[in-house]
Amino acid sequence: ESSLMSGHEEVIYQLQTLRKHDIRVAIDDFGTGYSSLAYLKRFPVSEIKIDIDFVADIVRHERSAQLSASMVELAHSLGAVAVAEGVEDAQTLRRLRELGCDQAQGYLFSRPVPAEEAVAALGAVPKELVPP
């Protein structure tokens, strides 16, 4: 992350090249740690992943809901997809839908599984492309 934030033009060029080839670039854990608005200014992102710190309590704390809604709106205004991290129950998912969030990930959908199981569940990747 520190390499990215130093503003190396080559990194920005590579990210733009990936984007031109329909490879999505996501900012993970948005709103915490190293992720910042500077990423949105510098990099051609296609997804903003809202950190679990904001998502986990949006049903109980209106301030978290307001911040999450702002991040969803920000993503949409940049033509990006808003993804909520750490969705663990149906109430949280329902609230995220109300806020206009596009996608969600978390234990509500599945616990982490080995790559082979994920591929089998999705059925989208040929077996020969699955790492051993």
Side-chain angles (χ1 to χ4, degrees), residues 20-32:
K20 287 178 186 171
H21 288 89
D22 293 328
I23 296 172
R24 300 170 63 100
V25 177
I27 295 180
D28 198 25
D29 302 328
F30 188 74
T32 62

Side-chain angles (χ1 to χ4, degrees), residues 27-30 47-58 64 68-69 71-72 75-76 81-89 92-97 99-109:
I27 295 180
D28 198 25
D29 302 328
F30 188 74
E47 293 182 10
I48 294 175
K49 296 177 76 176
I50 304 167
D51 190 78
I52 190 173
D53 285 349
F54 300 99
V55 174
D57 62 358
I58 64 170
S64 289
S68 295
M71 288 183 249
V72 167
H76 291 166
V81 172
V83 181
E85 298 178 333
V87 178
E88 296 187 2
D89 58 68
T92 300
L93 181 60
R94 191 170 22 260
R95 185 69 173 119
L96 286 163
R97 286 182 177 149
L99 298 176
C101 191
D102 303 300
Q103 297 177 6
Q105 66 183 59
Y107 288 169
L108 175 64
F109 308 103

Side-chain angles (χ1 to χ4, degrees), residues 29-72:
D29 302 328
F30 188 74
T32 62
Y34 287 105
S35 71
S36 73
L37 293 173
Y39 279 177
L40 299 179
K41 180 179 176 185
R42 293 182 183 172
F43 306 127
V45 300
S46 49
E47 293 182 10
I48 294 175
K49 296 177 76 176
I50 304 167
D51 190 78
I52 190 173
D53 285 349
F54 300 99
V55 174
D57 62 358
I58 64 170
V59 174
R60 295 181 314 279
H61 298 288
E62 187 56 27
R63 188 113 174 153
S64 289
Q66 291 168 336
L67 287 165
S68 295
S70 295
M71 288 183 249
V72 167

Side-chain angles (χ1 to χ4, degrees), residues 3-22:
S3 306
L4 291 175
M5 289 312 294
S6 65
H8 292 105
E9 293 302 316
E10 178 63 22
V11 172
I12 294 169
Y13 172 78
Q14 292 298 328
L15 289 173
Q16 290 170 338
T17 301
L18 290 172
R19 189 78 192 265
K20 287 178 186 171
H21 288 89
D22 293 328

